[in-house]
Amino acid sequence: MSLSRWFRSCLVVACLLVAGPGVAQTAAAPVEGVDYTLIEDGRPLAPLDGRIEVVELFSYACGHCADLHPLIDPWQRRLPDDVRFTYLPVVYGNRDNLAAAFFASQALGTLERTHGATFDAMHRARRLPRNASPSELGWFYAQHGVDQAAFEAAMRDDATGQKLNAARDFLLRSGAQGTPTLIINGRYRIQARSLRGLLDTADALIARERAAAP
């Protein structure tokens, strides 16, 4: 089985196992093997420079990522200055259109307009198919004030290809088997059983990393 098909099947399994946002979560300290996995020889996405890194591995095609977005977006905006939060799309191949769209919009400085809108278009308004082509994505992003020609060029740009490769490498070394997944400092892979539980566990592990800092 190809990596793409394997990861897509894992994503489906993970989506079936993750409970909805209304499920109650205990306030107990997170437990390794239950709430998170310690990543052997894990490395952060970027140098920490004295900060704590939180990466959300997501896919625009994932319904649970769409459900998490209204929770995680305000949560990450309230994080203290010593925490660096990064959205990172999962990459199934060298030219994954949805992931390339994320990086293209990011490069153009329009991500604030397009990130949540892409989830809404795919899972609520049904205006974008899960296998959207570059031209379909370009048309949709143009509805949100993005220059379509510049956007489609950014999707094809070598810099976007490099970001796709780096995102795929991080995905593989993180060992994530579905979305959404949170990775703390490249060391902790959070596998909570509810969407709110992901954030509760992240809060606890952020505090743990802060306390352990020299």
Side-chain angles (χ1 to χ4, degrees), residues 189-210:
R189 184 175 68 243
I190 300 177
Q191 55 195 48
R193 289 161 290 180
S194 74
L195 298 180
R196 176 59 65 181
L198 285 171
L199 304 185
D200 290 342
T201 300
D203 282 332
L205 294 176
I206 288 169
R208 180 182 298 179
E209 289 294 277
R210 183 181 292 119

Side-chain angles (χ1 to χ4, degrees), residues 22-214:
V23 176
Q25 188 81 1
T26 65
V31 177
E32 182 179 354
V34 176
D35 302 300
Y36 70 91
T37 296
L38 192 61
I39 302 171
E40 187 175 354
D41 299 323
R43 305 192 312 276
L45 179 65
L48 296 179
D49 295 328
R51 304 179 75 189
I52 298 166
E53 179 185 80
V54 180
V55 176
E56 184 204 353
L57 292 172
F58 77 91
S59 168
Y60 284 130
C62 171
H64 285 297
C65 297
D67 290 339
L68 178 63
H69 184 67
L71 299 176
I72 200 168
D73 189 54
W75 176 84
Q76 62 95 6
R77 293 176 189 275
R78 294 192 297 268
L79 290 170
D81 291 341
D82 68 337
V83 181
R84 180 182 69 222
F85 181 89
T86 302
Y87 289 116
L88 191 70
V90 296
V91 176
Y92 300 118
N94 292 333
R95 281 291 172 181
D96 185 292
N97 286 339
L98 295 179
F102 172 87
F103 288 124
S105 185
Q106 185 181 60
L108 294 173
T110 58
L111 203 57
E112 288 281 342
R113 280 180 262 161
T114 62
H115 188 53
T118 304
F119 282 125
D120 288 340
M122 297 196 75
H123 300 281
R124 296 175 180 87
R126 308 291 183 183
R127 298 180 67 198
L128 273 177
R130 296 190 179 200
N131 61 344
S133 67
S135 60
E136 287 172 319
L137 289 161
W139 172 85
F140 173 74
Y141 279 41
Q143 312 310 304
H144 294 272
V146 181
D147 182 281
Q148 183 169 353
F151 171 80
E152 292 185 25
M155 283 189 68
R156 298 189 299 269
D157 192 81
D158 287 344
T160 297
Q162 292 170 8
K163 291 176 182 177
L164 290 169
N165 290 336
R168 186 170 180 268
D169 288 345
F170 184 80
L171 167 67
L172 292 174
R173 71 175 185 258
S174 76
Q177 296 185 355
T179 53
T181 294
L182 298 184
I183 309 293
I184 310 293
N185 277 358
R187 300 183 61 210
Y188 303 104
R189 184 175 68 243
I190 300 177
Q191 55 195 48
R193 289 161 290 180
S194 74
L195 298 180
R196 176 59 65 181
L198 285 171
L199 304 185
D200 290 342
T201 300
D203 282 332
L205 294 176
I206 288 169
R208 180 182 298 179
E209 289 294 277
R210 183 181 292 119

